[in-house]
Amino acid sequence: ERRDEREPVVRAQRARRWCCRCPDAAQLRFFAPAAMRDYDELTAFLGEWGPFQRLIFFLLSASIIPNGFNGMSAVFLAGTPEHRCRVPASANLSGEWLNLSIPLEKRGGRSVPSRCRRYRLEALLNFSALHLQPGRDVNLSQVEQEKCLDGWEYSRDPYLSTIVTEWNLVCDNDWKSPLTTSLFFVGVLVGSFISGLLSDKFGRKNVLFATMGIQTGFSFLQVFSTSWEMFSALFLIVGMGQISNYVAAFVLGTEILGKSVRIIYCTLGVCIFYAFGYMLLPLCAYFFRDWRTLLLVLTLPGLLYVPLWWFIPESPRWLLSQGRIQEAEAIIKKAAKKNGVQAPAVIFDQIEMEDLNSQNQQSYNVLDLVRTQNIRSITIMSVILWMVISIGYFGLSLDTPNLHGDIYLNCFLSAVIEVPAYTISWLLLQYLPRRYSMAGVLFLGGCVLLFIQLVPACKTHVFEAKFYIVSVDEVHRASCLVSMPSVF
């Protein structure tokens, strides 16, 4: 019998005849109708914003809060206070020589005590024993200098202690402090690669809670670090957990929530709760100025998320992709009961789901991102944009200790200003094309960065400079949010 591919009615009749003769599902797939309902159509009876969706929205958004203060914790954990070379009390120097034991250096247009040099202690002891007067009998510019052989004295304002003061990460070892933060972001990089693979294999919910446990557990271990190497290694693992649970929560929410709620979840949900966590960081750091105590305070809230395991379900979409149709139906029926709607007796037809999965069984790998010219251009542009946005955002956020004024207030302002930035981003996503939104905010952010160079360094303009810098922070974060839907 000759097949007529151009006549859908004939195909349907043949499918029915074939079904009567041989109801084998594998043979029926050949005659499956071309138009097949997708997941959103099958679950449309749930509605878009019922009690179930609201619960998932707020619980998943709340799970992001620890990411806000863990991601920026290095601002206070690795802060570098003012310091100078220690002169041991046993040196028995006179008061005059003790006060002038540290040479002056130019820093910020002012003469201040050196952080890494002192006058050679043996020479100072001889001058003091001979009762010579500094400046009158001895020309200090001709006195030999030496490194801080007896360690450093650290100011206890604004920090009581940090990892810098704990392990003397200053002067010749000052490269270790920024490397600590870099290692955290190395963990973020690694977690970004593996989190998607893990969630595809083991499920969104399992990866979400496992990586939240990693973030909390290894942060707790950091409290008991005995060396900089131990702290940094653990910080790298914390970075892996931090980005992995962020991505898992992001994907889980977008797969469970309906179309009309996803953009709100990605901007006003996930990101604003991230900002809430960021706001909590300077508040906690203000009251707990010892780095071990602060880290413990930031870690313990992770335990509050354990009960969420019994409230957040697995993604029904992922379950369907794994052929676990009954589990997916059970979740949807439970959601329907919570929303007060009647679920159909059969939500996901076994044969229809098998046909849908068979159409999507083509596997992909990272090389597919550069396989064709169109997708290759999109991939390259996305990588460049994300690099620019990340450098701008994290560079400004992590640089708050170097701004003039109170570090706690600067950090809090940096977090607060993100809320209107997210709101602006949501409005842009709602009413403007992605391309124009992206180009506009990036151009505006670049202009503000250039304008900062025109702000005079005098103290009368410090407030204006701070305002501009915070504005740039807002614009770059808005850029990040606008680009996110384009990437996904």
Side-chain angles (χ1 to χ4, degrees):
E1 184 179 14
R2 187 172 60 87
R3 295 193 342 215
D4 187 356
E5 294 292 339
R6 296 170 298 175
E7 187 57 50
V9 175
V10 175
R11 285 179 60 101
Q13 292 173 347
R14 290 178 180 174
R16 285 194 293 271
R17 290 198 301 269
W18 187 268
C19 180
C20 295
R21 293 198 303 266
C22 184
D24 182 14
Q27 294 169 324
L28 279 173
R29 285 194 196 101
F30 181 83
F31 298 99
M36 188 174 296
R37 295 180 298 167
D38 62 10
Y39 176 87
D40 290 318
E41 294 178 5
L42 294 170
T43 59
F45 65 90
L46 286 176
E48 290 282 326
W49 192 239
F52 172 76
Q53 287 90 346
R54 290 195 293 269
L55 179 67
I56 297 302
F57 183 99
F58 289 108
L59 290 184
L60 285 177
S61 297
S63 72
I64 302 297
I65 292 177
N67 296 53
F69 49 70
N70 277 312
M72 298 296 177
S73 61
V75 170
F76 299 100
L77 297 179
T80 303
E82 283 298 321
H83 53 277
R84 55 184 288 179
C85 293
R86 176 183 289 113
V87 177
S90 58
N92 197 25
L93 289 174
S94 65
E96 289 180 310
W97 283 108
L98 183 61
N99 292 334
L100 296 174
S101 59
I102 306 299
L104 299 179
E105 63 182 15
K106 288 287 185 180
R107 192 164 62 243
R110 298 182 301 121
S111 294
V112 295
S114 174
R115 294 174 174 173
C116 301
R117 306 288 294 180
R118 71 181 184 187
Y119 291 118
R120 192 162 65 87
L121 187 57
E122 183 180 350
L124 297 185
L125 288 173
N126 292 333
F127 298 148
S128 180
L130 295 173
H131 304 290
L132 299 177
Q133 297 296 315
R136 188 189 69 182
D137 303 320
V138 178
N139 186 353
L140 292 176
S141 63
Q142 297 180 352
V143 178
E144 187 180 354
Q145 298 180 12
E146 63 185 3
K147 294 182 179 181
C148 301
L149 303 179
D150 296 295
W152 291 263
E153 294 177 354
Y154 295 96
S155 169
R156 295 175 70 83
D157 181 40
Y159 321 102
L160 292 180
S161 70
T162 66
I163 64 170
V164 172
T165 64
E166 181 89 8
W167 296 301
N168 293 323
L169 307 183
V170 293
C171 299
D172 290 342
N173 289 322
D174 60 356
W175 56 272
K176 292 184 178 180
S177 179
L179 180 60
T180 303
T181 307
S182 298
L183 288 174
F184 173 83
F185 286 101
V186 168
V188 170
L189 177 65
V190 175
S192 300
F193 279 110
I194 66 173
S195 58
L197 299 175
L198 292 175
S199 62
D200 284 343
K201 183 174 181 61
F202 300 106
R204 286 48 166 135
K205 178 180 177 179
N206 292 331
V207 171
L208 170 64
F209 284 92
T211 52
M212 286 179 68
I214 290 173
Q215 177 177 305
T216 301
F218 283 89
S219 292
F220 182 74
L221 291 177
Q222 279 185 292
V223 176
F224 306 99
S225 298
T226 57
S227 66
W228 170 78
E229 290 79 8
M230 177 180 176
F231 180 92
S232 299
L234 293 173
F235 211 23
L236 186 148
I237 301 174
V238 170
M240 293 174 57
Q242 193 252 15
I243 191 63
S244 296
N245 72 62
Y246 183 95
V247 171
F250 190 94
V251 173
L252 183 57
T254 55
E255 290 186 350
I256 292 179
L257 299 172
K259 292 181 179 179
S260 63
V261 185
R262 288 171 195 160
I263 292 180
I264 302 177
Y265 172 73
C266 296
T267 53
L268 302 185
V270 168
C271 296
I272 282 186
F273 277 80
Y274 178 93
F276 288 159
Y278 190 7
M279 292 179 206
L280 290 174
L281 174 62
L283 294 177
C284 293
Y286 180 82
F287 292 103
F288 302 97
R289 303 198 178 194
D290 171 72
W291 75 268
R292 292 183 190 271
T293 306
L294 173 61
L295 187 54
L296 183 62
V297 169
L298 296 178
T299 299
L300 291 179
L303 300 176
L304 300 177
Y305 292 93
V306 173
L308 298 189
W309 174 269
W310 290 274
F311 295 93
I312 297 176
E314 180 57 89
S315 167
R317 291 176 185 266
W318 180 80
L319 291 172
L320 291 173
S321 71
Q322 304 298 306
R324 296 158 63 175
I325 298 175
Q326 292 182 347
E327 295 178 53
E329 276 204 358
I331 292 173
I332 298 300
K333 288 181 178 179
K334 187 176 180 180
K337 182 178 180 181
K338 191 169 187 63
N339 284 357
V341 298
Q342 182 65 39
V346 178
I347 302 174
F348 305 113
D349 181 77
Q350 182 81 23
I351 296 177
E352 189 174 1
M353 288 297 102
E354 289 179 0
D355 288 334
L356 195 59
N357 288 336
S358 67
Q359 294 178 8
N360 299 319
Q361 281 182 350
Q362 183 178 357
S363 60
Y364 299 93
N365 56 55
V366 68
L367 295 179
D368 289 296
L369 293 174
V370 294
R371 195 171 300 279
T372 65
Q373 182 177 355
N374 183 46
I375 193 66
R376 184 163 55 246
S377 300
I378 295 174
T379 299
I380 293 173
M381 289 302 300
S382 297
V383 169
I384 293 173
L385 288 171
W386 272 108
M387 287 179 62
V388 171
I389 292 165
S390 298
I391 290 172
Y393 174 69
F394 288 107
L396 291 168
S397 299
L398 294 173
D399 195 52
T400 49
N402 296 323
L403 296 180
H404 179 83
D406 185 80
I407 180 177
Y408 302 100
L409 179 60
N410 290 339
C411 187
F412 184 74
L413 288 176
S414 179
V416 168
I417 205 69
E418 291 194 7
V419 176
Y422 299 140
T423 307
I424 292 171
S425 301
W426 174 67
L427 293 173
L428 291 174
L429 291 171
Q430 290 289 100
Y431 300 109
L432 291 179
R434 305 291 192 262
R435 252 188 337 180
Y436 298 146
S437 302
M438 170 80 71
V441 292
L442 285 174
F443 179 78
L444 179 60
C447 289
V448 176
L449 280 172
L450 292 175
F451 290 154
I452 289 179
Q453 309 305 316
L454 305 177
V455 177
C458 61
K459 291 187 177 180
T460 56
H461 295 278
V462 165
F463 179 79
E464 290 86 350
K466 185 186 298 183
F467 172 78
Y468 287 134
I469 291 174
V470 172
S471 299
V472 174
D473 190 359
E474 175 184 347
V475 170
H476 275 81
R477 192 57 175 172
S479 307
C480 183
L481 288 173
V482 171
S483 68
M484 189 175 296
S486 301
V487 175
F488 283 95

